[in-house]
Amino acid sequence: MVLEGKKIIVGVTGSIAAYKSAFLVRLLVKAGADVQVIMTLASEGFITPLTLSTLSGNPVLSTFIDNERGVWNNHVSSALWADVILIAPATSTTIGKLAHGISDNLLIAVCMSAKCPVLIAPAMDLDMWLHPSTQQNIAFLQTNGIRIIDPGYGELASGLIGEGRMEEPEKLLDILTKHFLFSGSLAGKKAMVTAGPTYESIDPVRFIGNHSTGKMGFAIAESLALRGADVTLVSGPTELTSHTKNIDVIKVKSSDEMLQSCLDNFTGSDITVMAAAVADYKPANLSKEKIKKNSKNLDISLTSTKDILAELGKQKHKEQILVGFALETENEIPNAIRKLESKNMDMIVLNSLQDKGAGFGYNTNKVTIIDRDKKITEFGLKPKSEVAEDIVSYIVNSLT
Ligand code: CTP
């Protein structure tokens, strides 16, 4: 999804790991990317251009002049076409040429003309990898903005064991996906997300809660963080944790604690997404002692909790984006619009319990986003991580 329509040049050079380039190209094409393969002549001894042109759906380029087709392969226009260039595998020769500006083949000329990011995944035998000239070239490229995807450790084609194996195609796909997520850039932005249920204590051992797992809120926090935002995640009681560097998880129990934490963190927040299933009512009186079962019926008097989202809506400045959720079982759209307006949100994410596979406990969800202009955008049933992506992409687009 993230790679849909992305223009990616895959550079292939003369290493036995070139066979993995076929899997890489296949994965990228399956992810929706538009892939242009550029091979060095040496790589054609390891894998045929026919294999890679068939998998990519585009003729492979390898020389400046293509005598067969009678065309000049313009390295500058290829370079400007690409959103990203990944050389996988990158041999020590290619790394050396790139580091020293020796553009005697099409791939190096394209890389040197590029304005987009260039990533390289080295592959070579361990002693070549550790050789001072390779290490020096790598260090030079790295300090000049080229991203090096470190080779892995394991058995090498020579039979030796050590560092030098090209990173696996699945991992390269993941790295490119994350690359594009980050480049959506929320760097420098602060975000706050609420997640999970709240527990409203009845006595020291009992509470009123709900079935929210927190998955949606955590997925949104991850997605915001992947794009570079600093995220404060205010979470009710859930089993989930986050180890992501730029997510600060604040664990709370009750709606009152969640309210306080949100008020403490809202002022500096550029983007706030309220995905928690906050209790609407709490016991009017908290019993200090455990309630004994000494009568047949028990009435617990409830009083409404503060609507956290509405409180933030009152404080919100024009530049702050406030996103809420609505869980509805009937009159979904009119009810959601009413909530959007009454709580001063910028957009509302509507979950309908009428959709199979959506809502509490499922790993999937189906949402509709409604914005301030009452524009309605429906999304399909997807894993919660992808729904989070849709929501965050929608927010990012609204910023530009
Ligand atoms: N919300 C909140 N604080 C509350 C109740 C709700 O911040 N005390 C937020 C939720 O996180 C969600 C939005 O308000 O983003 C809508 O919640 P929902 O339960 O659908 O709506 P309510 O406004 O509580 O209305 P109702 O239960 O009557 O549908």
Side-chain angles (χ1 to χ4, degrees):
M1 226 216 30
V2 177
L3 294 181
E4 188 80 49
K6 292 288 183 294
K7 301 189 194 86
I8 301 176
I9 288 180
V10 175
V12 182
T13 71
S15 153
I16 180 62
Y19 81 91
K20 292 190 192 171
S21 311
F23 294 97
L24 172 65
V25 169
R26 175 87 190 103
L27 288 172
L28 293 173
V29 169
K30 264 179 86 174
D34 192 354
V35 179
Q36 172 65 65
V37 177
I38 302 182
M39 298 178 76
T40 61
L41 290 179
S43 73
E44 294 183 10
F46 292 91
I47 185 165
T48 68
L50 181 64
T51 304
L52 295 175
S53 63
T54 308
L55 290 172
S56 66
N58 287 314
V60 163
L61 308 177
S62 56
T63 50
F64 290 102
I65 295 161
D66 184 338
N67 286 323
E68 244 170 65
R69 292 193 296 151
V71 291
W72 174 56
N73 292 323
N74 183 336
H75 55 281
V76 177
S77 53
S78 288
L80 297 181
W81 170 86
D83 294 319
V84 72
I85 299 174
L86 168 62
I87 308 182
T91 58
S92 63
T93 309
T94 292
I95 291 167
K97 283 185 183 177
L98 198 53
H100 292 89
I102 303 168
S103 53
D104 65 350
N105 68 39
L106 184 67
L107 179 60
I108 303 291
V110 168
C111 289
M112 290 183 65
S113 312
K115 294 200 194 295
C116 67
V118 178
L119 290 76
I120 64 174
M124 65 198 77
D125 214 63
L126 80 162
D127 292 312
M128 289 181 83
W129 172 245
L130 292 176
H131 195 280
S133 58
T134 311
Q135 289 302 313
Q136 209 174 344
N137 290 335
I138 287 283
F140 175 80
L141 291 175
Q142 210 156 20
T143 50
N144 284 282
I146 296 205
R147 176 157 172 208
I148 314 294
I149 301 166
D150 283 338
Y153 183 94
E155 193 179 337
L156 303 162
S158 61
L160 296 175
I161 292 176
E163 231 174 287
R165 288 165 66 99
M166 185 181 95
E167 191 52 275
E168 296 303 322
E170 290 76 13
K171 188 69 202 297
L172 296 176
L173 175 80
D174 192 43
I175 288 170
L176 283 182
T177 305
K178 295 210 167 110
H179 163 81
F180 283 108
L181 283 175
F182 270 110
S183 61
S185 209
L186 290 176
K189 297 271 181 213
K190 284 202 183 316
M192 180 170 81
V193 179
T194 64
T198 60
Y199 287 179
E200 310 301 327
S201 291
I202 299 168
D203 68 15
V205 293
R206 303 180 180 96
F207 60 83
I208 296 172
N210 60 64
H211 293 299
S212 168
T213 58
K215 282 179 190 156
M216 198 61 242
F218 271 71
I220 289 170
E222 291 291 337
S223 182
L224 287 162
L226 270 173
R227 290 168 190 257
D230 278 323
V231 184
T232 302
L233 174 57
V234 183
S235 169
T238 75
E239 290 178 354
L240 304 175
T241 46
S242 171
H243 299 292
T244 305
K245 204 174 79 236
N246 41 338
I247 298 182
D248 181 21
V249 182
I250 299 176
K251 290 267 184 190
V252 295
K253 276 206 179 104
S254 64
S255 58
D256 285 338
E257 285 173 24
M258 189 173 274
L259 171 69
Q260 193 51 52
S261 185
C262 287
L263 291 174
D264 290 346
N265 289 285
F266 185 59
T267 315
S269 176
D270 300 298
I271 299 165
T272 301
V273 184
M274 306 293 282
V278 186
D280 288 327
Y281 292 95
K282 63 180 182 182
N285 301 300
L286 169 64
S287 168
K288 282 212 173 70
E289 306 301 333
K290 186 179 167 214
I291 299 171
K292 289 291 191 193
K293 57 168 186 302
N294 40 22
S295 63
K296 198 157 189 301
N297 296 319
L298 173 69
D299 291 324
I300 298 174
S301 163
L302 301 177
T303 179
S304 61
T305 57
K306 264 249 159 47
D307 190 316
I308 305 171
L309 179 53
E311 285 303 309
L312 301 186
K314 282 184 213 155
Q315 297 192 4
K316 185 176 107 68
H317 295 299
K318 245 179 51 203
E319 313 75 49
Q320 288 180 296
I321 300 229
L322 182 59
V323 183
F325 276 70
L327 179 65
E328 303 290 342
T329 53
E330 56 180 349
N331 287 328
E332 288 101 332
I333 302 275
N335 279 342
I337 292 176
R338 189 179 43 74
K339 277 181 196 171
L340 172 92
E341 287 173 344
S342 68
K343 300 192 195 185
N344 192 25
M345 299 178 217
D346 296 284
M347 56 191 85
I348 189 159
V349 183
L350 169 65
N351 283 295
S352 169
L353 273 190
Q354 287 177 1
D355 292 316
K356 249 187 137 201
F360 284 179
Y362 289 100
N363 282 324
T364 50
N365 205 358
K366 185 171 183 307
V367 300
T368 301
I369 298 181
I370 308 169
D371 69 11
R372 262 180 186 280
D373 302 326
K374 302 200 178 78
K375 194 175 115 208
I376 298 172
T377 311
E378 281 184 39
F379 297 86
L381 185 71
K382 300 172 182 201
K384 283 187 176 165
S385 57
E386 284 180 27
V387 175
E389 266 312 306
D390 287 340
I391 295 168
V392 173
S393 296
Y394 196 99
I395 295 171
V396 169
N397 290 338
S398 78
L399 291 173
T400 49

